[in-house]
Amino acid sequence: MNRIQRFLVRGLLAFLGLLAVLAALVAYFVYTPDPELPQLSGTLSQGTLEVAGLTRSYRSYVPKGLPEGAALVLVLHGSGEGPQAVRKGTGYGFERLADQHGFAVVYPKSFGFDWNDCSSIGNTAVNGVRADDAGFLAALVDTLVGEIGVDPKQVFAAGVSNGGSMAMRLALEQPTRYRALAAALANVPAPQNFQCQPVGQPPSIMILNGTEDPLVPYAGGEINLLGLFYKGGQVISSTASAQYFADRNAIAGTPQVSLTHTAQGAQVEHAVWRAADGRSEVELVTLHGAGHVLPQPWARRPRLLGPAPEEPNGPAMIWAFFERQSK
């Protein structure tokens, strides 16, 4: 082997070594195994719906023996994801709860990469076409009320990340359709990034965020990942977001604050604004030390998104909030 050949071989080996290191880094920071599918009683269905000339898709889960007039929970996925991703990312937590408490779950699919939420920045168009996601969700609720027999007065929506931002839009622009909503890993867009047109008084809402979120800053600022990826515009802080909804609900005074500790030692802070008549509530759940993750014990999240505690059980907290509003 001559000198040039040896040089080429060494160069190739160095390149392959670099690829191996990069692959290991990607596996460490990005890869997560799928959670084990639990034994569930009901049926998972896939459906489509024609809305404003566009074919929209969704998945629904109906437990066995669902009673007439049960509640319906919409679960909204994050940017670039879909129904299957949010099912796995929450450890099938909402379906587990549906079996236990007797409600139906539906996982709609956004039209574009992002839901067209209250932020003026987002990838919501496909081939130049931009859909009305709020209109699609309203039509979907009406369809499921007719098909499954759920109670139209017991419709809830929970969103994660960009889905949480979409839940905020539903609270502001369609307040009479949803009994309560939950926005996880999301903050209200800053004024220069805000495009919603609020109407009336929003329903009760829970906001659930981690203080070490590397994507949606708890203290407010620009949505981005490592300052390089997925720039989603400016948002206000989590505390200011909760106060925004408290103000829109005309809830005066300071929130009632409590602090709990999980079995793993994590601090969970609850700040609750409650109307004097008890009809509306705003709750901010602060997960101290948590990243861009809805905690639950079944599915792991990419390390790139920050610390991912297994407690508290995020889906269970959200359902407990919804159940409290229904009473």
Side-chain angles (χ1 to χ4, degrees):
M1 182 181 295
N2 60 37
R3 183 182 301 175
I4 294 178
Q5 289 174 323
R6 288 196 298 271
F7 175 79
L8 291 175
V9 169
R10 285 196 295 267
L12 178 60
L13 291 175
F15 178 71
L16 292 175
L18 178 60
L19 287 181
V21 170
L22 291 175
L25 288 173
V26 169
Y28 181 80
F29 286 106
V30 178
Y31 171 75
T32 54
D34 289 343
E36 183 179 352
L37 183 66
Q39 290 186 340
L40 299 168
S41 72
T43 302
L44 180 70
S45 303
Q46 194 161 0
T48 59
L49 189 65
E50 293 291 326
V51 180
L54 297 173
T55 301
R56 307 300 302 269
S57 63
Y58 63 92
R59 288 190 176 190
S60 58
Y61 177 74
V62 179
K64 183 178 181 180
L66 183 73
E68 185 78 14
L72 173 66
V73 176
L74 283 73
V75 180
L76 309 178
H77 62 77
S79 295
E81 295 184 334
Q84 188 65 1
V86 74
R87 289 182 71 226
K88 292 180 179 179
T90 55
Y92 309 103
F94 288 99
E95 290 163 50
R96 298 172 193 264
L97 290 164
D99 268 9
Q100 296 171 21
H101 299 278
F103 61 86
V105 185
V106 62
Y107 302 94
K109 174 70 177 73
S110 66
F111 182 69
F113 185 87
D114 297 314
W115 294 99
N116 55 1
D117 55 24
C118 286
S119 173
S120 58
I121 297 176
N123 184 7
T124 60
V126 177
N127 297 325
V129 177
R130 189 169 183 264
D132 176 12
D133 282 333
F136 158 56
L137 297 176
L140 179 58
V141 168
D142 290 342
T143 297
L144 295 177
V145 166
E147 290 182 353
I148 302 176
V150 291
D151 185 351
K153 295 182 180 179
Q154 295 295 319
V155 178
F156 305 91
V160 180
S161 193
N162 177 239
S165 299
M166 187 63 195
M168 290 181 174
R169 179 187 174 190
L170 299 178
L172 294 172
E173 294 191 342
Q174 296 185 351
T176 60
R177 183 172 289 276
Y178 301 93
R179 181 66 191 87
L181 301 101
L185 323 182
N187 282 330
V188 173
Q192 69 272 22
N193 186 33
F194 191 91
Q195 65 174 357
C196 278
Q197 299 179 0
V199 294
Q201 181 175 309
S204 296
I205 187 169
M206 169 188 276
I207 299 173
L208 193 153
N209 289 329
T211 58
E212 302 302 317
D213 191 326
L215 182 62
V216 180
Y218 182 88
E222 184 182 42
I223 295 176
N224 66 70
L225 188 58
L226 304 177
L228 300 172
F229 308 107
Y230 189 73
K231 295 190 175 183
Q234 297 283 327
V235 293
I236 62 178
S237 72
S238 297
T239 302
S241 296
Q243 186 65 59
Y244 171 83
F245 280 98
D247 291 343
R248 289 209 58 85
N249 273 289
I251 303 176
T254 57
Q256 185 176 25
V257 179
S258 62
L259 187 67
T260 61
H261 294 80
T262 69
Q264 298 175 339
Q267 289 188 340
V268 183
E269 184 177 326
H270 302 260
V272 180
W273 292 255
R274 188 173 288 114
D277 61 4
R279 291 182 177 273
S280 62
E281 186 178 333
V282 176
E283 180 174 3
L284 171 61
V285 180
T286 300
L287 305 172
H288 289 276
H292 192 74
V293 59
L294 182 65
Q296 38 69 42
W298 306 287
R300 303 280 63 79
R301 301 299 289 163
R303 290 183 174 89
L304 189 65
L305 298 178
E310 296 183 6
E311 297 177 329
N313 185 328
M317 290 180 66
I318 289 172
W319 172 248
F321 178 79
F322 288 166
E323 197 171 32
R324 190 163 74 240
Q325 309 315 311
S326 67
K327 296 176 181 178

